[in-house]
């Protein structure tokens, strides 16, 4: 039996393992990814992780600025794929593109749909204190993550798990689920299940304001924000007009004080009062410096009990 002829669309690290699966199981006739973008202090043009891996596999790479243009649609039609697989591509597909492959367009989404639709499901599941999440494969339609669900895989979110840790776990789960999904579609044994839109929670794009710590919130909410934004964009707060990034924390339910006030310092950390309880700061990044253990920050900067974070 000949391999399925496929097009793979993806951009970040999360999509790389799925590309591996598609390269092993199918005939990938094109890898579509975002154009190289400026990155780092030197703003050097940098290829996406998917492009890097595709070139390692010897696969053709295409980087259109906008995939919905008539020329792009025509090029995809010429490829005549049986299936298009989309994993964190970063662009919306038009109905004309969705109609091209005979088996449709499949998306690997990092949540248990319909719970978190949108751009940042991993971050928001942690920020909102969820204890369970997973990966869903679905048939794409013209809506935003609204297509019929195919397969799901679940996992626990532990109380101190960060987005970086959950990201890597879901990436591996997603590639395994995609493999099963492709097999089911090729065999004609998979049936889509419609989503209940009333159960959806939109996972909006993250902004600098999203990451700003509000010390009036409970210690648990602040802790969830910090771990939900580790390793990007990282929660932040102000002290004496300077911006500090907070990388790692612990909840202390038995402490109390004025929200934002430093209650105590130790050799390993310092404690800041929240609206309910307090947060032990374990890892911090002062302005224009690398992240460091909070104990090193205390010794080097002399932060005092009674100082107040804004």
């Amino acid at each position: 039996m000949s391999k399925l002829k496929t097009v793979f669309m993806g951009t970040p690290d999360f999509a790389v393992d799925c590309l591996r699966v598609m390269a092993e199981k199918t005939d990938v006739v094109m890898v579509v990814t975002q154009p190289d973008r400026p990155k780092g202090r030197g703003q050097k043009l940098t290829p996406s992780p998917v492009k890097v891996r595709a070139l390692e596999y010897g696969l053709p790479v295409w980087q259109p600025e906008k995939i919905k243009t008539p020329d792009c649609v025509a090029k995809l039609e010429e490829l005549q794929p049986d299936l298009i697989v989309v994993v964190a591509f970063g662009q919306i597909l038009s109905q004309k593109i969705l109609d091209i492959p005979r088996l449709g367009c499949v998306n690997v989404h990092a949540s248990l749909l319909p719970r978190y639709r949108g751009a940042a499901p991993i971050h928001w599941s942690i920020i909102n204190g969820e204890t369970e999440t997973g990966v869903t494969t679905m048939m794409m339609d013209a809506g935003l993550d609204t297509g019929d669900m195919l397969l799901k895989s679940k996992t626990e979110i532990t109380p101190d798990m960060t987005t970086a840790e959950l990201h890597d776990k879901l990436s591996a789960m997603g590639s395994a689920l995609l493999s099963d999904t492709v097999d089911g579609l090729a065999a004609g044994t998979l049936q889509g299940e419609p989503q209940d839109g009333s159960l959806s929670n939109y996972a909006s794009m993250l902004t600098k304001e999203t990451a700003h710590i509000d010390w009036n919130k409970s210690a648990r909410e602040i802790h969830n924000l910090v771990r939900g934004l580790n390793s990007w964009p990282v929660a932040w707060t102000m002290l004496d007009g300077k911006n500090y990034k907070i990388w790692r924390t612990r909840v202390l339910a038995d402490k109390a004080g004025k929200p934002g006030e430093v209650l105590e310092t130790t050799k390993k950390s310092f404690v800041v009062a929240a609206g309910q309880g307090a947060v032990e700061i374990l890892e911090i990044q002062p302005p224009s410096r690398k992240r460091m253990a909070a104990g090193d920050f205390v010794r080097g900067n002399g932060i005092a009990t009674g100082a107040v974070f804004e």
Side-chain angles (χ1 to χ4, degrees):
M1 184 177 175
S2 61
K3 287 185 175 182
L4 288 179
K5 193 175 176 183
T6 63
V7 169
F8 184 87
M9 299 183 178
T11 298
D13 284 319
F14 185 81
V16 168
D17 209 30
C18 286
L19 174 60
R20 174 189 59 78
V21 166
M22 296 307 294
E24 291 172 355
K25 296 182 75 76
T26 72
D27 176 15
V28 180
V29 295
M30 185 64 71
V31 174
V32 188
T33 189
Q34 295 276 50
D36 296 0
R37 304 294 189 196
K39 191 174 182 181
R41 288 186 177 180
Q43 291 293 284
K44 180 182 177 182
L45 280 179
T46 305
S48 73
V50 162
K51 178 181 178 179
V52 171
R53 187 58 56 88
L55 293 177
E56 289 175 3
Y57 291 158
L59 298 172
V61 175
W62 180 30
Q63 296 174 273
E65 195 69 47
K66 293 184 178 180
I67 194 66
K68 294 194 282 188
T69 64
D71 286 349
C72 289
V73 173
K75 184 169 182 176
L76 289 170
E77 288 174 337
E78 288 173 9
L79 293 171
Q80 296 183 319
D82 297 306
L83 179 70
I84 293 178
V85 171
V86 181
V87 187
F89 174 45
Q91 295 188 43
I92 302 296
L93 306 192
S94 65
Q95 188 62 51
K96 287 184 178 180
I97 294 175
L98 296 176
D99 292 338
I100 290 172
R102 66 178 182 86
L103 293 177
C105 297
V106 169
N107 177 243
V108 179
H109 187 74
S111 82
L112 297 175
L113 288 171
R115 181 65 177 143
Y116 285 98
R117 296 171 177 169
I122 302 177
H123 299 81
W124 283 108
S125 63
I126 292 182
I127 293 170
N128 289 340
E130 302 285 358
T131 58
E132 182 183 68
T133 189
V135 182
T136 307
T137 53
M138 68 171 178
M139 298 304 303
M140 297 178 68
D141 63 15
L144 180 62
D145 301 326
T146 56
D148 286 356
M149 301 174 292
L150 297 171
L151 296 176
K152 290 185 181 183
S153 183
K154 297 180 181 180
T155 189
E156 179 188 11
I157 303 178
T158 56
D160 295 313
M161 180 179 276
T162 66
T163 284
E165 293 164 344
L166 183 57
H167 169 280
D168 292 349
K169 189 171 187 178
L170 293 181
S171 177
M173 290 171 58
S175 61
L177 200 67
L178 176 60
S179 180
D180 292 342
T181 300
V182 171
D183 287 344
L185 290 173
T189 57
L190 269 186
Q191 294 293 321
E193 176 190 351
Q195 296 188 41
D196 181 351
S198 68
L199 301 177
S200 179
N201 202 1
Y202 181 58
S204 60
M205 293 186 69
L206 302 167
T207 66
K208 185 177 181 181
E209 242 354 90
T210 307
H212 190 182
I213 296 172
D214 179 357
W215 294 101
N216 292 298
K217 291 189 174 182
S218 71
R220 174 60 60 186
E221 288 175 299
I222 293 169
H223 176 64
N224 289 345
L225 181 74
V226 169
R227 66 193 184 98
L229 300 179
N230 177 347
S231 58
W232 183 88
V234 188
W236 61 277
T237 185
M238 302 287 289
L239 178 65
D240 297 329
K242 296 179 180 178
N243 185 305
Y244 292 82
K245 292 182 177 180
I246 307 298
W247 283 85
R248 204 157 54 88
T249 56
R250 182 182 294 129
V251 175
L252 299 177
D254 58 343
K255 303 280 185 179
K258 175 186 174 183
E261 181 183 3
V262 177
L263 300 178
E264 61 181 79
T265 63
T266 71
K267 292 181 179 180
K268 292 185 177 181
S269 64
F270 62 95
V271 177
V272 182
Q276 181 181 345
V279 177
E280 183 179 12
I281 308 298
L282 303 175
E283 201 169 355
I284 190 171
Q285 185 174 355
S288 302
R289 297 175 68 181
K290 293 182 178 180
R291 57 193 285 192
M292 63 178 68
D296 293 338
F297 173 72
V298 170
R299 287 188 294 274
N301 294 268
I303 187 170
T305 301
V308 178
F309 283 94
E310 300 166 24

